[in-house]
Every structure is written in structure tokens, then in C-alpha cells.
Amino acid sequence: MFDTILIANRGEIACRIIKTCRQMGIRTVAVHSQADREALHVRLADQAVDIGPAPARESYLRADKIIAAALATGAQAIHPGYGFLSERLDLIAACEANGISFIGPSSAAIDAMGDKIRSKQIARDAGVPGVPGYDGADQSPEVLRREALHIGLPVMVKASAGGGGKGIRKVEREDELDGAIAAAAREAQAAFGDGRLLIEKFVTRPRHVEVQVAGDRHGSIVHLFERDCSVQRANQKLLEEAPAPNLRPETRAALHEHALRLARAISYDNLGTVEFLVDAATQAVFFLEMNTRLQVEHPVTEAITGLDLVEWQIRIAAGETLPRKQSEITCTGHAIEARLTAERADEGFRPDTGTIRLWREPTGLRIDSGVAAGSEVSTHYDSLLAKLIAHAPDRPAAIRKLTDGLDRLSVLGPGTIRPFLVDALRQPAFVMGQATTLFISETWPGGWTPRPVDETVRNAVAAAIWLTANRPAQGSGPWNRLGGFRLLAPAGRPATAHLSVQVGGDAARLAVEAHDGFLRVTSPGSLHDVAISKAGPDRWSVTVDGVNMAVDAACYAEEVFLRHGGFEGRIGIALAAVAAAAERAASGETGDTLRASMPGTVVSLHVAEGDSVEAGQIVAVLESMKLFMELKSPASGTVRRLGTRAGATVAAGDMLIAVEST
């Protein structure tokens, strides 16, 4: 058995692997970029090595730096986690050349399944059914277009070397086909260095069901049941559960048998996942792909089997036989996992960034996280913050347990999809186990929106918390010593503070009067009486107009990060006089302006100053958290000014291109 393992990853999966290594008595080495020097996985490991700048291509994707770190620290093995180098043959080759064990399958297995085109051919030869499509060698746009039309729309255009939802386009109309092929190829080339595509018939109402398999280096292969991962956005999973609900016994058995057949065909020798599409109406099964690594959603399989899959990976890589035979692997209860990502579900799942100001985990759930209060969420890496896993005797109990845990989770700073996850778990289609990959678009055809918020109550609560948290330590009374108050009249009149409150692009002015034991907050058209007391670190007991509630808030000099009712986010607060003095002059911009909708890196600019453009024309490509977005001109006219350049990092709201309308 190894005594030191280097973890070639970051975030929650690095923390997860460290936990198992510690239980096995194995020393761990973390690697980190300069942006991650204070990250949680760095603090948890026994030793940490700086491997370069923030961009992954200069750090986490550098196999030479990973190997150098392993050699310098005496690590006998490298665990790649998922993503990054987990399915890259160059890392395995480098491990072999330096006498380091790779905790994963053989390079032959990764090579066979890493190319989607080749994997489908192997599956066909093994008798595993696939989705009708085209995976030929001729990759000319003309041939891809012809084959797509021959298969029949709708189709999926997919990167052959892809993963993580990148390089994938659904095409429903013929006039979308050429653009989808070009965009998918460009994204695949940028993400994987391989622009080859395949075309698949789109299954109208598909479920995404996958089977966990494990093999050792002595010829044994088993399955560990299946998972349903149908709730997805942008082809990336959000809710996963095991076992899959509402499957006929013969369908479940077919999934297991197909997965084992494929694994045997490539002599698979570690943990892996065989993914399928299941037609929701007929329960016909179609092979999709195989992921030759640990999956993000592996905890639900661990929950129902009672096994530690990371420990299995390590033992297999050390040359041991599988810990259990197929007959010894049992399924108990039901487990559901929710992925908590730093995204704004109410803005089309736009990635968000910033410092985590408050992080409070609920009890009663398994939580695999890679962050804590103070952690920075940047544009350089995936938006996944943590995974919350509920295990219960049956599916309804697991849903209730996970919903309750998400309700009690508090995370403030960057926006997260926590409110969306709670809402999704309560939807009838999910509760009844009938969710397909169309769940989000069918449940919220106009896009998901949070619960309505009474903005005047929200602002009153934020103002009361901010004034209380920022009051001076000395004074004659509990309210008169609050920072910002001043007497406006002779003795007997209440002390009053005038505040400016800003949420996003909306601003409001408030007047706050300190009375005996409460604050009276007025704004145009509203008046609220607020009594407030501290209930714990970043926890407040607030009574608004006689109604009491618990509120989470992290307070700073000019802002409050607040969770109250259906709102959770940042509220800027300042004394009105200070805010007025700080207001910037109008920018003087005219015409139509294209701004960054989220923080990211400008991959390319397709126009120059003075160029003529048409409304809707693609003028730039923005990358954020490994997703590529094509940005279009807001109007027809002339490019008057460029506010950025290719390769530049931009914040949400930054001006990119100004167009003089014609």
C-alpha cells in the first residue's frame, strides 16, 4: 500500500480524497495554483506544492508540474480526481516513466473510451445498443450537415473528446445546423484540443441513467447499481440519485448487463461509469459514453452500498483484488445528491464569483465541500462549491431530508443555486420520479424565478442589521448610539439616519428613526417597525411589524450580505450624504453598448473599431468557468469603441463593445 499520495486536483474532490487517505493512514500532498494558496484542500493536506499561476492550463493541466511535485515530495501515487488530467494519457505516460502509480484505469481503457467515436464502435462490437447517429472519420462541415439531415432532426452535435457539457449543441431546425457545427467544433478544440464531432439522434424524452462499475487488475469486474442524473442544465448534472426510480426490473437488469459487457470488452481495471439514455416512454436503453474516472456523483452510490469508492480506487491501483464480489454488494435505502454551484439560476444559471462571506452547513447530511467562509470563487475553475447528500430508507424520506438540509444551508457572497435546488426537489415531476433531461425547460419554460420579495421589508431588515452591527461601542442608549444617527430637533425628537440602499441596479433612500426598543424605517410609500437582536454569529432575530423571523447576514462597512425570505445576496448600504458624494458622473456613453453578463475571460474579439455590424452578429466569445459564450451585437451600426481586448479578464457589467446605431 502507498504511504504518500499526491492529489492532482482542487476543491471538493481534493478534500474528499484527503478524507479517505487520512482514514487509511496515507499521507497526502496537495497541489495548488497561486489563486488557490489559501484554499481548503491546501489547508487539509499534509503538504502542499505551488504549481503555477491561476489559469488551469498553466497549473492544474500541466502534467510536468504534477510529476515534479510528486517526485519532490516522495509521493508513490497520484490521484487525479475528476476533470483536469483525470482522463489524460500524457499524465499516465509521465507516471509510468517516473515509476509513479496512477490511481485510475489503464491508459488502454482511457484511450478506448476517451474518444466518443471509438467508444461507440467498441460498444457496438460488444453488443451494447447505441443512439442512431454518425461517427465517421470525414469531419467536413458538408458531411456532418448531410448526415445530420439523414438521421433526422432534432439531433445532438457533440464533441468526440468532450465531457462536462462542453462542445454540445442541440439542433432542432435546419437553419441552426451550420452554426451549431461550427460552434461545437470551436468549443471542442478550445477545451480539449480536438475539434472532431459526432452526430446523434435526439431522444425526445430521455432519462440519463448511468451504471457504476469497478474492475481490478486480476480480471474481476462488478457493477455497483445505477444512478439517475436526469436533472441537468447545459448538459451538466444538478441532482443525482441512486437507485434510479421507476425502472422496470428488466430495464434495470439490461443496464447492469450492458455496462458489465462494455467493461469486460476493454478489460477495465478501476472505477468507471457507463452512461445511458433511457427513453422515458418505452424504457429503451442507448449507450451514451463511458467516463473512465471517479464521478462527481459517486457519493450516492457510496450511500446505498456502504462502500468507500475512493478506497476501492486506491486498493485497485495498489494491485489488490476487488474488496467484494458481485453477490456481496447490496443496495440499501435511497440517496439523493444536490450539487451546489456558484451560479444565478434566475439569470439562466450565470456563473457568479467573489468571496464567500458566510458558510454554515446543516447537520444530518453528508456534505462534500471544498470551500469555507473566506474562500474565493474565481472565473478560472468550475463553479461547483459543494455536494449535499441525503440517505434514507426510501425515496420520499430522502427527498424530505435533502430539502430540509438545503433549507438550513446558509451561503452568502457569490450567488448560488440553493433556492433553485429546494424548488426543484418539490416539483411534482421530480417527487414522482418522472424527471427527464427536459425537466428544467418543461417546469420553467420562461426560466426559473425565486419567490417574490417585498423589497421594502428586505431593505428595512438590511438597514436595521447594518446600523446595529456598525454602531459604536460607547453611548448613552441602545439606539441613540447607532452609527449614522443625528438629532434633527430639540430634545425628545427621535434620532434619525438617512441611508442609501442599492441592490443590483436598483437604489432606494431610507429614513431610520431610533425609538425605544425598535427602529422605524420609512421609504417612499412604506413604513416598517423593526426590532432586532443578535442570535449568534451572523444570525439575527428580527421582528418586522410584529412578525418574527430568523435572518442570516454578514455585515461590512458598506454592504450587507443577507438571506431573508426569497432574497439572498448583496445589499450596498451607505449614509445618504456619503452615497451622494460618491456617485459617479454619467459615463456619456451613447448608442448601444455590449457589456459582460458575467465575469470571465475574453477569448476572442471578431470586430475592430470602425467595423460595420448587424444586430445579432457574433462579435466576441467570453469564457467563464470553462463555459464558452458567444456574444452578439446589440444593434446594427458601427463599432465606436472597444472596451477590452482578447485575453483580458472582465467583471460582470464591464463595457466590451460600444456600437453607434444606424
Side-chain angles (χ1 to χ4, degrees):
M1 180 51 65
F2 315 114
D3 61 49
T4 303
I5 291 176
L6 181 143
I7 302 162
N9 217 297
R10 65 178 301 279
E12 66 85 16
I13 188 57
C15 296
R16 160 72 187 91
I17 296 166
I18 290 171
K19 180 180 178 181
T20 288
C21 288
R22 186 168 293 157
Q23 292 171 344
M24 296 178 70
I26 298 172
R27 180 174 171 270
T28 56
V29 177
V31 294
H32 65 89
S33 70
Q34 291 164 11
D36 275 345
R37 61 169 59 93
E38 301 297 329
L40 185 59
H41 76 282
V42 174
R43 303 202 299 269
L44 291 177
D46 296 298
Q47 188 174 353
V49 179
D50 187 328
I51 55 171
R57 63 182 176 275
E58 299 178 38
S59 51
Y60 295 108
L61 290 173
R62 288 284 298 273
D64 57 334
K65 293 187 176 182
I66 300 294
I67 294 296
L71 293 174
T73 56
Q76 298 109 0
I78 292 176
H79 196 309
Y82 52 73
F84 289 140
L85 296 172
S86 61
E87 296 174 284
R88 288 275 291 270
L89 298 178
D90 54 344
L91 177 60
I92 300 177
C95 284
E96 293 172 349
N98 288 276
I100 299 171
S101 295
F102 177 79
I103 301 177
S106 66
S107 56
I110 291 178
D111 187 40
M113 293 292 105
D115 183 321
K116 287 188 176 66
I117 291 175
R118 185 180 175 199
S119 70
K120 291 181 180 299
Q121 295 167 344
I122 293 172
R124 280 198 297 268
D125 293 342
V128 179
V131 180
Y134 173 76
D135 53 19
D138 191 335
Q139 290 285 299
S140 65
E142 296 78 16
V143 169
L144 292 172
R145 175 185 174 83
R146 185 184 69 225
E147 292 296 331
L149 294 176
H150 176 72
I151 294 165
L153 302 179
V155 298
M156 297 294 286
V157 179
K158 304 174 70 173
S160 176
K166 293 180 285 295
I168 299 178
R169 296 290 189 278
K170 178 185 175 185
V171 181
E172 299 184 89
R173 303 198 317 266
E174 185 174 348
D175 60 358
E176 299 173 336
L177 193 52
D178 291 338
I181 290 171
R186 180 174 61 249
E187 189 168 289
Q189 184 65 43
F192 315 114
D194 185 346
R196 291 177 304 144
L197 303 175
L198 56 89
I199 311 291
E200 289 180 344
K201 179 66 178 176
F202 179 74
V203 179
T204 305
R205 298 194 60 76
R207 292 175 60 183
H208 186 128
V209 184
E210 59 192 31
V211 179
Q212 179 75 68
V213 296
D216 61 25
R217 294 173 182 175
H218 307 279
S220 297
I221 295 176
V222 298
H223 74 77
L224 292 89
F225 307 105
E226 78 289 337
R227 302 182 287 254
D228 189 301
C229 310
S230 298
V231 178
Q232 305 176 5
R233 56 90 179 87
N235 299 297
Q236 292 184 300
K237 306 161 188 172
L238 293 178
L239 292 171
E240 301 110 341
E241 58 183 308
N246 297 331
L247 284 183
R248 299 170 190 155
E250 59 270 24
T251 304
R252 204 180 306 273
L255 286 164
H256 299 164
E257 179 54 35
H258 290 327
L260 290 173
R261 192 178 299 165
L262 181 62
R264 293 188 188 108
I266 58 173
S267 301
Y268 200 72
D269 59 348
N270 207 271
L271 268 287
T273 301
V274 185
E275 302 193 350
F276 299 89
L277 290 181
V278 176
D279 189 299
T282 66
Q283 294 207 1
V285 173
F286 304 103
F287 170 68
L288 188 61
E289 63 181 329
M290 183 176 188
N291 286 312
T292 52
R293 53 169 168 78
L294 192 68
Q295 290 278 92
V296 178
E297 57 271 24
H298 75 275
V300 293
T301 296
E302 292 182 323
I304 64 169
T305 60
L307 304 173
D308 185 328
L309 299 192
V310 173
E311 181 180 348
W312 274 45
Q313 287 190 295
I314 293 170
R315 294 193 179 281
I316 293 168
E320 297 183 13
T321 58
L322 290 180
R324 295 192 187 183
K325 299 177 183 178
Q326 187 71 68
S327 60
E328 299 171 329
I329 302 170
T330 58
C331 174
T332 302
H334 198 94
I336 308 176
E337 172 181 289
R339 298 191 191 189
L340 182 74
T341 59
E343 297 175 323
R344 292 294 305 267
D346 56 337
E347 297 180 16
F349 294 92
R350 170 182 68 79
D352 208 0
T353 59
T355 303
I356 294 179
R357 306 293 184 173
L358 187 155
W359 180 268
R360 185 188 300 119
E361 297 179 356
T363 58
L365 298 181
R366 169 178 169 177
I367 300 177
D368 288 7
S369 66
V371 296
S375 295
E376 290 291 332
V377 180
S378 77
T379 63
H380 296 292
Y381 313 116
D382 188 87
S383 62
L384 181 63
L385 302 180
K387 304 177 304 194
L388 292 85
I389 305 97
H391 182 225
D394 55 43
R395 188 171 186 270
I399 293 175
R400 290 194 300 271
K401 188 174 181 180
L402 183 56
T403 304
D404 175 67
L406 282 164
D407 266 333
R408 291 184 289 111
L409 171 72
S410 286
V411 51
L412 293 173
T416 76
I417 64 169
R418 189 206 64 81
F420 165 82
L421 292 170
V422 172
D423 201 357
L425 287 166
R426 291 171 172 158
Q427 295 302 314
F430 186 85
V431 171
M432 293 185 291
Q434 297 175 350
T436 71
T437 59
L438 305 176
F439 170 75
I440 293 178
S441 61
E442 290 183 341
T443 306
W444 299 282
W448 180 83
T449 56
R451 295 200 327 251
V453 172
D454 186 325
E455 295 178 0
T456 65
V457 172
R458 176 201 65 197
N459 292 348
V461 169
I465 291 174
W466 183 79
L467 285 167
T468 304
N470 288 292
R471 68 190 178 194
Q474 302 297 323
S476 59
W479 301 111
N480 286 338
R481 65 175 187 258
L482 296 181
F485 280 97
R486 62 187 180 87
L487 293 176
L488 300 181
R493 291 285 300 274
T496 303
H498 294 273
L499 304 180
S500 173
V501 175
Q502 185 161 3
V503 182
D506 298 326
R509 294 296 176 95
L510 310 179
V512 186
E513 295 178 350
H515 292 264
D516 186 14
F518 69 93
L519 299 175
R520 176 158 291 163
V521 185
T522 59
S523 60
S526 74
L527 181 152
H528 299 289
D529 289 340
V530 183
I532 185 168
S533 63
K534 200 75 183 288
D538 299 319
R539 188 80 165 170
W540 302 80
S541 176
V542 179
T543 301
V544 180
D545 302 329
V547 178
N548 182 260
M549 65 202 76
V551 173
D552 291 323
C555 296
Y556 296 87
E558 296 181 345
E559 57 191 355
V560 173
F561 292 86
L562 178 72
R563 176 182 172 189
H564 169 260
F567 175 84
E568 47 193 86
R570 176 189 178 276
I571 300 177
I573 302 183
L575 298 177
V578 175
E583 287 178 355
R584 296 181 299 173
S587 65
E589 289 182 358
T590 59
D592 292 272
T593 303
L594 175 66
R595 295 183 178 275
S597 59
M598 63 190 72
T601 301
V602 178
V603 177
S604 60
L605 284 172
H606 298 168
V607 294
E609 291 182 0
D611 285 357
S612 296
V613 293
E614 297 294 326
Q617 176 182 334
I618 297 171
V619 292
V621 176
L622 183 71
E623 178 187 5
S624 182
M625 294 183 177
K626 298 195 275 188
L627 298 176
F628 289 80
M629 288 141 284
E630 295 175 335
L631 306 182
K632 300 177 181 179
S633 174
S636 297
T638 302
V639 176
R640 183 171 57 83
R641 185 158 66 94
L642 296 179
T644 188
R645 56 177 175 76
T649 299
V650 296
D654 280 0
M655 194 279 284
L656 304 180
I657 299 173
V659 177
E660 190 73 40
S661 300
T662 57

